[in-house]
Amino acid sequence: MILARLIGRAADTARLMVGLPSYDRYLEHMAERHPEAEPMTRRAFFRDRQEARYGARGGGRCC
């Protein structure tokens, strides 16, 4: 059990390092902190995180 949890955390860390936050953790956060709000779909969440990371929203951040 401890090994599985450790592997899961390592995988989460690796995803965050390459810009792929956990959708499941996002859903948990929304249920706990914002129960009145409808969470984004998986596709919308991924798009939102990519735009936030690479600056597509505010007018062209270069590499």
Side-chain angles (χ1 to χ4, degrees):
M1 187 68 171
I2 294 173
L3 181 59
R5 193 173 0 182
L6 183 62
I7 291 171
R9 287 184 185 223
D12 285 345
T13 299
R15 284 187 201 100
L16 286 171
M17 290 173 68
V18 297
L20 295 174
S22 172
Y23 181 68
D24 293 331
R25 289 197 192 274
Y26 161 73
L27 291 177
E28 290 172 10
H29 168 80
M30 290 299 289
E32 291 174 9
R33 304 289 177 131
H34 312 283
E36 73 287 348
E38 185 173 338
M40 291 182 272
T41 63
R42 186 177 294 271
R43 174 174 270 175
F45 174 77
F46 178 76
R47 186 178 316 122
D48 178 73
R49 296 296 79 218
Q50 289 296 305
E51 289 174 356
R53 180 173 173 89
Y54 296 112
R57 286 188 187 146
R61 184 179 120 192
C62 182
C63 310

